[in-house]
Amino acid sequence: MFTKEILAIDAPAVAASVAESIRQQVMGTLRRRGAVVGLSGGIDSSVVAALAVKALGKERVLGIFMPERDSSDDALRLGRRDVLDSDRLNVFQLTVQGPDGRTETSRMPLAAYLQLVAATNYKQRVRKMTEYYHADRLNYAVAGTPNRLEYDQGFFVKQGDGAADFKPIAHLYKTQVYALAHALGLPEEIRRRPPTTDTYSMAQTQEEFYFALPYDRMDLCLYAYNHGVAAADVAPVVGLQPAQVERVFKDIESKRRTTRYLHLPPVLIEKVVEI
């Protein structure tokens, strides 16, 4: 039977297992002395840092604080891109705020949208360059911080926050990452903070920016889609109508198609079979 408890885990046991895998990957497979973790103040990077410390010891983990001028302290709702009530294309809207505090939102033309994407992706890649700089000078490995929802749905930048030597929580749903945070004893302030993009000067949640639902319901829909659970069985659990769940399923598949290239290695004309 499909219930909210479907994503429940034995968090201490999972934390111990992931930490052991990190130890083997960093010290064995990658042959590095430690790990670099970019810290945003969010749940994912905090959990990855705690797992790395558990695996390698605090003296072998370098945390780099990544917030910069456009990072925000809070995640407040400024608007919503809702895919639940109609079958429609996902569009990108820009919200600007004037000195008087008034905001204005309008749909972006394609050229402006692509320019903004290029600029924000550049920012993510500069952050990752900083991590690799310190990793190279210390002979450390760079940790990636995407959870399963982000990794599956392509919510990362290629050669930006998607670049890493190991990704220890990419198999865990966001709900499970929060369970790990509790088990690892992360501060409550971090555990209560809504997931944010931490990219633009105005605060926004990941739901507003990319996902169709808050992470806890999105996790359940993604799990259901991955395991062939019918929309009619999912709907009462996530508080939606079956037709709305079907639209979320379509959105999941659409994002997978659109972002598939992010997961691909460089394309070769011919295989280099010796490597």
Side-chain angles (χ1 to χ4, degrees):
M1 175 178 263
F2 185 78
T3 68
K4 291 183 178 180
E5 284 67 45
I6 198 73
L7 295 178
I9 58 173
D10 182 344
V14 171
S17 176
V18 172
E20 179 57 31
S21 294
I22 291 174
R23 188 179 302 112
Q24 293 176 3
Q25 291 171 349
V26 172
M27 311 296 284
T29 305
L30 299 171
R31 296 184 179 275
R32 293 294 184 266
R33 297 176 57 248
V36 171
V37 184
L39 297 171
S40 67
I43 194 74
D44 296 313
S45 62
S46 298
V47 166
V48 169
L51 289 169
V53 168
K54 184 177 179 68
L56 306 169
K58 64 180 181 180
E59 70 282 355
R60 291 182 179 270
V61 177
L62 175 64
I64 301 177
F65 294 106
M66 302 308 284
E68 35 75 36
R69 184 181 64 183
D70 288 335
S71 298
S72 57
D73 296 327
D74 301 309
L76 302 175
R77 179 171 301 276
L78 300 175
R80 181 171 181 172
R81 178 187 56 77
D82 194 346
V83 301
L84 299 180
D85 296 326
S86 63
D87 291 314
R88 64 180 183 180
L89 294 173
N90 291 332
V91 299
F92 196 91
Q93 295 180 319
L94 179 66
T95 299
V96 296
Q97 186 176 49
D100 60 359
R102 289 187 298 177
T103 62
E104 183 176 342
T105 300
S106 62
R107 180 173 176 175
M108 297 183 69
L110 179 59
Y113 164 73
L114 292 175
Q115 179 65 46
L116 184 60
V117 168
T120 55
N121 286 358
Y122 183 84
K123 178 185 293 189
Q124 294 291 347
R125 291 177 179 126
V126 169
R127 291 177 177 177
K128 189 57 64 172
M129 285 168 54
T130 302
E131 293 177 38
Y132 269 102
Y133 165 79
H134 290 287
D136 287 347
R137 73 178 181 82
L138 296 170
N139 194 29
Y140 280 13
V142 172
T145 63
N147 56 66
R148 185 171 190 144
L149 181 59
E150 295 170 347
Y151 187 74
D152 182 297
Q153 294 290 277
F155 190 55
F156 58 87
V157 175
K158 195 167 190 176
Q159 303 307 322
D161 55 339
D165 297 313
F166 66 104
K167 297 181 179 181
I169 61 171
H171 63 297
L172 297 172
Y173 291 88
K174 187 89 172 182
T175 305
Q176 297 169 333
V177 174
Y178 273 95
L180 283 187
H182 180 76
L184 291 165
L186 265 62
E188 185 178 359
E189 183 179 5
I190 292 177
R191 289 189 277 122
R192 294 179 59 184
R193 186 185 184 214
T196 66
T197 63
D198 196 38
T199 300
Y200 300 102
S201 55
M202 290 181 66
Q204 65 178 175
T205 67
Q206 288 184 354
E207 175 194 352
E208 293 164 347
F209 184 75
Y210 196 77
F211 297 112
L213 294 167
Y215 79 87
D216 52 347
R217 293 196 288 170
M218 195 67 217
D219 273 353
L220 289 167
C221 287
L222 180 59
Y223 179 94
Y225 184 80
N226 289 341
H227 293 83
V229 180
D233 295 327
V234 179
V237 178
V238 297
L240 298 174
Q241 297 299 316
Q244 293 176 309
V245 176
E246 290 286 1
R247 292 187 181 102
V248 174
F249 285 173
K250 289 180 181 178
D251 193 56
I252 289 171
E253 185 56 40
S254 174
K255 285 186 171 65
R256 283 182 176 172
R257 288 195 306 269
T258 303
T259 63
R260 181 175 178 271
Y261 82 98
L262 296 175
H263 295 276
L264 296 177
V267 180
L268 304 179
I269 300 299
E270 294 185 11
K271 278 190 175 182
V272 181
V273 295
E274 291 81 6
I275 297 178

